[in-house]
Amino acid sequence: VAEWFGHQPNHGLVTRLADAGLTMTEPSAVTAGGALEGQTLVLTGTLSTLSRERATALIEAAGGRVTGSVSRRTAAVVAGADAGSKLDKARDLGIEIIDEDELLRRVAARP
C-alpha cells in the first residue's frame, strides 16, 4: 500500500476520488440499536452540564440524530434554560419536550 501511494501518478487518482466525494477518513462508530435509534432530537436553550457538542455526541452515539429545527419528524426537543422559539414550536406541534436529565437517562438506557 505504501509503495502504491508513493508513485506520483497515483496521487492524481486519489485527488479525483476525493473530489468525487469518496470519504478518505474512517467514519466514527455509531451504536446500532441504541436507545435513540432512528429518533431526531432538537437542542434548544442552555444545558446545565453538557455542551451542545457533547449532547450531540451522546445522542448520535445512542443512534439518534440532532437537527437545528423542529418539525413533525422531531421525536423530542431537549430544552435548557432560556429556550426560545424552538420550544414554542415544539409545543404547537405537540412534540415531546424533555430536559437534560431525561436526555442523560435515555442515552444511558439500552434498547
Side-chain angles (χ1 to χ4, degrees), residues 9-45:
N10 295 332
H11 293 193
L13 173 61
V14 171
T15 300
R16 287 192 309 277
L17 290 170
D19 290 344
L22 180 70
T23 303
M24 299 288 183
T25 58
E26 185 176 355
S28 60
V30 175
T31 306
L36 299 177
E37 184 70 28
Q39 295 183 26
T40 300
L41 284 81
V42 173
L43 303 171
T44 187

Side-chain angles (χ1 to χ4, degrees), residues 8 13 18 21 25 30 44 66 81 85 92 103:
Q8 186 62 35
L13 173 61
T25 58
V30 175
T44 187
V66 176
S85 61
D92 290 344
L103 172 64

Side-chain angles (χ1 to χ4, degrees), residues 40-82:
T40 300
L41 284 81
V42 173
L43 303 171
T44 187
T46 304
L47 302 179
S48 60
T49 65
L50 296 173
S51 67
R52 207 164 273 260
E53 293 80 20
R54 180 68 180 134
T56 298
L58 288 172
I59 291 166
E60 290 174 349
R65 76 174 239 192
V66 176
T67 62
S69 60
V70 178
S71 73
R72 295 197 184 279
R73 294 182 182 178
T74 303
V77 170
V78 182
D82 300 321

